[in-house]
Amino acid sequence: MSGDFLHACPVCGGSGALATPMGTRLKEVRDKLDMTQEQFARSLGMSRPSLANIEAGRQDVPTHFLVAVNRLYGISVNWLLGLPEASEATP
């Protein structure tokens, strides 16, 4: 059943992975903040290897991580996920 869901998934196209460039966007944020992976990961309460895996798309992003990036750095969770901002979303 999960295979059928993935095949029909408009987000991942059946690959099981998010098609959004979240890892690229996180690295972009980190670079703009002029932080190393170690510094950025520590500021978010996670390990550097976990951040590296998230940036490379090898690890799912925990919700608390998205909330921390938003609260600490003012980065839109929708932007990180590649989703339209609330004002752009259609009901």
Side-chain angles (χ1 to χ4, degrees):
M1 178 156 153
S2 64
D4 293 336
F5 171 75
L6 289 178
H7 188 269
C9 179
V11 175
C12 72
S15 70
L18 285 177
T20 61
M22 185 183 313
T24 303
R25 289 178 180 211
L26 284 171
K27 184 177 182 329
E28 180 182 330
V29 168
R30 184 173 57 77
D31 288 344
K32 285 185 180 183
L33 293 169
D34 196 30
M35 297 176 87
T36 64
Q37 281 185 334
E38 183 69 35
Q39 292 167 326
F40 194 53
R42 191 176 311 131
S43 77
L44 298 168
M46 68 185 338
S47 70
R48 189 212 54 80
S50 290
L51 177 62
N53 285 332
I54 289 170
E55 285 185 357
R58 294 185 298 259
Q59 180 175 325
D60 288 335
V61 180
T63 303
H64 70 272
F65 174 83
L66 295 171
V67 172
V69 172
N70 175 262
R71 287 188 177 160
L72 290 171
Y73 301 108
I75 306 301
S76 163
V77 172
N78 281 2
W79 179 79
L80 285 172
L81 294 172
L83 299 172
E85 293 302 322
S87 63
E88 300 171 7
T90 55

